[in-house]
Amino acid sequence: MGKANKSVKTAGKAASARPGKNPSKSKPVLRAIGGGKPTPAKSPPPKAVASAPKPVPLKSPPAVADDVPVIALNLEAGKLSPAMAAYFKKCQDKLGFVPNVLLAYAFDMAKLETFVAFYNDLMLGESGLSKLEREMIAVAVSSQNRCYYCLTAHGAAVRQYSGSPLLGEQIVMNYRAARVNKRQRAMLDFAVKLTAQPWAVEEADRERLRRAGFTDRDIWDISAVAGFFNMSNRVASATDMRPNAVYHGQAR
């Protein structure tokens, strides 16, 4: 029995020593930290789908009145004379507003009264030129000088007197595009030349006006209206004078 048991033990050791049967060389089994069952392989998390950004509502800037302040100079308005107080009331009653050019001059009664008298005589007084023709000169001259105030205010006047929004816009942009008669074309050519090249005006230019039917008194009036608006354009541009907003929508 002793030898048999010894033989069995020897055979067991020999079997355990056979190649490929060594338990210490078998593949290890992955187990969770701390014991337990083997940890299964984790699948990668699903990729997040980027959502479209929400549109940010745009806030409109607060509206700012285009005709405030009237000019860029800090000039305190004076007390209106009785004549000018009555004239301002007349404007308010007839037009529904006081033109800003009058408010601009209101710091000095002498200048305001002189401006009003000269303007009314040139534009509304007796003349061989119609009120429309005088307004056409005002706009053609102001177009050359790119005067925002006068183009706006007197462009509206051309639309009103002519009953044609088209004519008003054409003279604002380029009077040569307007289908005016030969008399009016000669008048505007002269006023624009007097504005752009006053040194070049000569007898041939005056003679052309005569042939178009203008008298020498008419030539004086054409020249006076053109000269007045060249002055007004420069004062308006120098002070950033703003036209009343109501002009923009008139006679459209």
Side-chain angles (χ1 to χ4, degrees):
M1 289 292 294
K3 288 182 179 181
N5 289 339
K6 189 174 181 179
S7 297
V8 171
K9 290 179 180 180
T10 302
K13 289 180 180 181
S16 63
R18 289 177 186 170
K21 298 295 184 177
N22 190 346
S24 64
K25 292 184 179 181
S26 60
K27 292 182 180 180
V29 176
L30 296 177
R31 297 184 180 278
I33 297 174
K37 296 181 179 179
T39 304
K42 294 182 178 180
S43 59
K47 293 182 179 180
V49 179
S51 58
K54 293 182 179 180
V56 179
L58 298 177
K59 293 183 178 180
S60 301
V64 178
D66 183 66
D67 54 359
V68 178
V70 172
I71 58 173
L73 304 182
N74 187 20
L75 300 175
E76 185 177 352
K79 183 179 179 181
L80 295 177
S81 65
M84 288 298 97
Y87 188 68
F88 275 37
K89 184 178 185 305
K90 182 178 180 181
C91 290
Q92 187 67 52
D93 293 343
K94 186 175 181 179
L95 304 176
F97 62 95
V98 176
N100 280 350
V101 65
L102 302 181
L103 299 178
Y105 272 91
F107 71 95
D108 186 311
M109 285 305 104
K111 288 180 173 55
L112 175 61
E113 290 179 354
T114 300
F115 176 86
V116 168
F118 195 20
Y119 175 87
N120 286 343
D121 178 64
L122 280 176
M123 303 302 287
L124 304 175
E126 291 295 325
S127 173
L129 308 179
S130 69
K131 291 178 182 178
L132 172 59
E133 287 173 333
R134 283 175 271 183
E135 291 292 350
M136 290 168 68
I137 293 171
V139 175
V141 167
S142 300
S143 179
Q144 292 297 302
N145 294 325
R146 301 182 185 182
C147 176
Y148 175 46
Y149 186 99
C150 293
L151 284 173
T152 304
H154 295 279
V158 170
R159 296 194 300 270
Q160 288 178 326
Y161 281 130
S162 68
S164 171
L166 176 62
L167 179 63
E169 293 302 305
Q170 287 173 330
I171 298 180
V172 164
M173 297 177 188
N174 178 4
Y175 77 94
R176 296 173 182 87
R179 292 177 174 172
V180 296
N181 60 43
K182 291 182 180 180
R183 165 190 164 95
Q184 292 169 339
R185 177 59 186 265
M187 174 189 76
L188 295 177
D189 283 343
F190 183 86
V192 167
K193 185 173 183 178
L194 184 60
T195 299
Q197 296 177 299
W199 62 88
V201 174
E202 52 191 359
E203 183 59 27
D205 299 299
R206 291 182 286 273
E207 188 56 35
R208 185 185 173 205
L209 289 175
R210 294 186 186 104
R211 290 197 305 269
F214 292 104
T215 67
D216 280 16
R217 171 57 196 271
D218 295 337
I219 295 172
W220 176 275
D221 287 353
I222 292 170
S223 304
V225 173
F228 178 84
F229 278 95
N230 271 292
M231 181 275 291
S232 292
N233 291 168
R234 283 154 177 76
V235 173
S237 294
T239 60
D240 190 23
M241 194 180 296
R242 314 300 288 185
N244 303 68
V246 67
Y247 285 127
H248 295 288
Q250 288 183 336
R252 295 286 186 182

